[in-house]
Amino acid sequence: MRVILSGGGTAGHINPALALAEVLQARGHEVLFAGTPQGVEARLVREAGIPFTGFEASGFNRNHPTSIVKAVAKIQKSTGAAKRWFREIKPDVVVGFGGYVCIPVGRAAESLGVPTVVHEQNSVMGMANKYLAKRAEAVALTYEAAGAPVADKSKLCVTGNPVRSSVLSSTREESRRELGIPNDALMLLVFGGSLGARHVNTAVCRLKDRLLAVDGLYVMHVTGPKELETVREALALTDEGAARWEVLGYQNRMGEAMAACDMVVSRAGATSLAEISARRIPALLVPFPFATEDHQTTNARAYVERGAAHMIADAEVESPEFERLLFDMIERPEVRDAMQAAAATFETEDAAGKLADVVEAAAAKRKPLQ
């Protein structure tokens, strides 16, 4: 079976695609990727060793009509290019993960009779996925609520959000040894995504003395590259404090960091939540307030309602409530135990396999290329 994966714009669209690719390849299928030439996907996909083909696509600003004209022209041109590519390689199925590039790739598939599967990572369906879902053979969801815009509910299935094997394969013991964390220590991981989170960084810095007063607590604080020096200056750690509080601008060993930690303070992006639930990590979630349709808050609410996490608004992070919720996790092992048990109910570690099953079923319905 030859599978085309497509997605672009953010790593949140690409990481689950790469997780699916690992499972499909393990099952003996051929995987190729269609993305934008200049997007983050071009680098991540090639680094994963998957053949990559680029198609131009971009968004538009409704307040600037000329941007709409340019965006439509790019989609039309890329749709034609994708059709020519499909006739050459003869794919069995296309899987779209979101981002504007999925539109021309999905349109090309539809015009040639190639089945399409859509995967939505967030609790609110993105524009490209809404468009493709109307025509898709199947629509796979992380959250059931995201399927609301899809009229034909028979297409919907909840698979969860796939997580790459590198996140799941790290063990606590090995990771702690690599990161220099004692086995009997308590470890807090703080990160705000690739750009960091200023309010979170500020709030955690203000709690330095109380955090370091907790016997045996280690902190790994991933600030985001732009915040690194500011956080280092604010903390002004002594040598003794620095032995238990590591400050990093970026962590390229996040799988090990998650395997090693006992709890996390994090944004509520789709990939972060998938990794948190797959590793069953107790969490204090701070949704990014400017995400489209505030979908990170909706994402986080699903975890809070199931008992897998605490949540606080970004605007309230520097309030006493943040401190209360954080130390509720740190000082109460029964809270962490309950969160771990609740996180297990998401069954995220099985998501890639479930999505691969959906893709194989859709491919079985392929008709000869038109």
Side-chain angles (χ1 to χ4, degrees), residues 21-82:
E22 291 175 346
V23 174
L24 290 172
Q25 289 171 330
R27 294 183 183 185
H29 303 307
E30 181 183 3
V31 177
L32 300 92
F33 200 101
T36 56
Q38 69 279 7
V40 65
E41 61 270 22
R43 175 178 59 83
L44 294 176
V45 171
R46 289 187 175 109
E47 287 176 355
I50 297 172
F52 180 88
T53 300
F55 297 96
E56 293 290 345
S58 62
F60 56 86
N61 186 333
R62 290 182 176 86
N63 296 321
H64 297 280
T66 56
S67 71
I68 299 175
V69 173
K70 290 180 180 178
V72 171
K74 281 185 180 180
I75 287 174
Q76 290 176 335
K77 183 177 180 181
S78 291
T79 299

Side-chain angles (χ1 to χ4, degrees), residues 257-312:
M258 287 194 161
C261 76
D262 295 288
M263 70 212 89
V264 63
V265 176
S266 170
R267 289 300 198 193
T271 297
S272 295
L273 286 179
E275 293 173 353
I276 287 167
S277 63
R279 298 289 331 189
R280 304 178 186 180
I281 305 171
L284 172 51
L285 302 175
V286 186
F288 177 59
F290 305 111
T292 304
E293 296 186 50
D294 197 23
H295 69 256
Q296 285 205 9
T297 297
T298 309
N299 289 352
R301 193 172 290 122
Y303 283 74
V304 174
E305 289 173 352
R306 203 172 291 192
H310 290 322
M311 176 176 70
I312 189 167

Side-chain angles (χ1 to χ4, degrees), residues 139-157:
V139 179
L141 308 170
T142 302
Y143 305 94
E144 186 174 2
V150 181
D152 184 355
K153 303 302 181 188
S154 68
K155 295 181 179 182
L156 303 177
C157 57

Side-chain angles (χ1 to χ4, degrees), residues 76-98:
Q76 290 176 335
K77 183 177 180 181
S78 291
T79 299
K83 288 170 68 174
R84 291 190 293 273
W85 184 49
F86 283 4
R87 287 194 178 101
E88 177 185 343
I89 65 171
K90 297 178 174 57
D92 294 287
V93 62
V94 169
V95 189
F97 286 84

Side-chain angles (χ1 to χ4, degrees), residues 8-311:
T10 70
H13 294 316
I14 313 309
N15 287 327
L18 296 178
L20 173 63
E22 291 175 346
V23 174
L24 290 172
Q25 289 171 330
R27 294 183 183 185
H29 303 307
E30 181 183 3
V31 177
L32 300 92
F33 200 101
T36 56
Q38 69 279 7
V40 65
E41 61 270 22
R43 175 178 59 83
L44 294 176
V45 171
R46 289 187 175 109
E47 287 176 355
I50 297 172
F52 180 88
T53 300
F55 297 96
E56 293 290 345
S58 62
F60 56 86
N61 186 333
R62 290 182 176 86
N63 296 321
H64 297 280
T66 56
S67 71
I68 299 175
V69 173
K70 290 180 180 178
V72 171
K74 281 185 180 180
I75 287 174
Q76 290 176 335
K77 183 177 180 181
S78 291
T79 299
K83 288 170 68 174
R84 291 190 293 273
W85 184 49
F86 283 4
R87 287 194 178 101
E88 177 185 343
I89 65 171
K90 297 178 174 57
D92 294 287
V93 62
V94 169
V95 189
F97 286 84
Y100 291 106
V101 72
C102 292
I103 295 177
V105 175
R107 287 181 58 177
E110 180 189 11
S111 69
L112 297 175
V114 179
T116 300
V117 174
V118 169
H119 181 271
E120 177 54 56
Q121 301 88 54
N122 288 296
S123 53
V124 178
M125 190 169 289
M127 189 191 78
N129 280 352
K130 283 182 184 177
Y131 176 86
L132 295 179
K134 299 174 184 177
R135 302 157 175 81
E137 182 69 33
V139 179
L141 308 170
T142 302
Y143 305 94
E144 186 174 2
V150 181
D152 184 355
K153 303 302 181 188
S154 68
K155 295 181 179 182
L156 303 177
C157 57
V158 177
T159 61
N161 195 12
V163 172
R164 299 189 70 179
S165 60
S166 59
V167 174
L168 298 172
S169 61
S170 299
T171 67
R172 177 184 172 91
E173 293 74 18
E174 292 173 350
S175 298
R176 288 202 163 205
R177 184 167 59 252
E178 291 292 326
L179 297 173
I181 307 294
N183 284 330
D184 60 351
L186 197 62
M187 177 181 164
L188 168 66
L189 173 62
V190 180
F191 71 100
S194 59
L195 299 179
R198 176 165 296 179
H199 287 171
V200 173
N201 288 335
T202 301
V204 172
C205 287
R206 288 178 176 175
L207 296 175
K208 179 188 75 172
D209 291 341
R210 186 175 175 188
L211 287 167
L212 288 175
V214 176
D215 187 40
L217 177 66
Y218 282 67
V219 179
M220 179 177 288
H221 190 166
V222 185
T223 66
K226 294 181 179 179
E227 292 278 296
L228 178 60
E229 292 307 317
T230 301
V231 170
R232 280 178 172 166
E233 291 175 6
L235 286 171
L237 294 166
T238 63
D239 290 344
E240 183 181 1
R244 291 197 289 127
W245 192 310
E246 184 176 11
V247 184
L248 303 164
Y250 178 76
Q251 173 58 278
N252 58 6
R253 299 163 69 183
M254 191 56 75
E256 293 178 2
M258 287 194 161
C261 76
D262 295 288
M263 70 212 89
V264 63
V265 176
S266 170
R267 289 300 198 193
T271 297
S272 295
L273 286 179
E275 293 173 353
I276 287 167
S277 63
R279 298 289 331 189
R280 304 178 186 180
I281 305 171
L284 172 51
L285 302 175
V286 186
F288 177 59
F290 305 111
T292 304
E293 296 186 50
D294 197 23
H295 69 256
Q296 285 205 9
T297 297
T298 309
N299 289 352
R301 193 172 290 122
Y303 283 74
V304 174
E305 289 173 352
R306 203 172 291 192
H310 290 322
M311 176 176 70

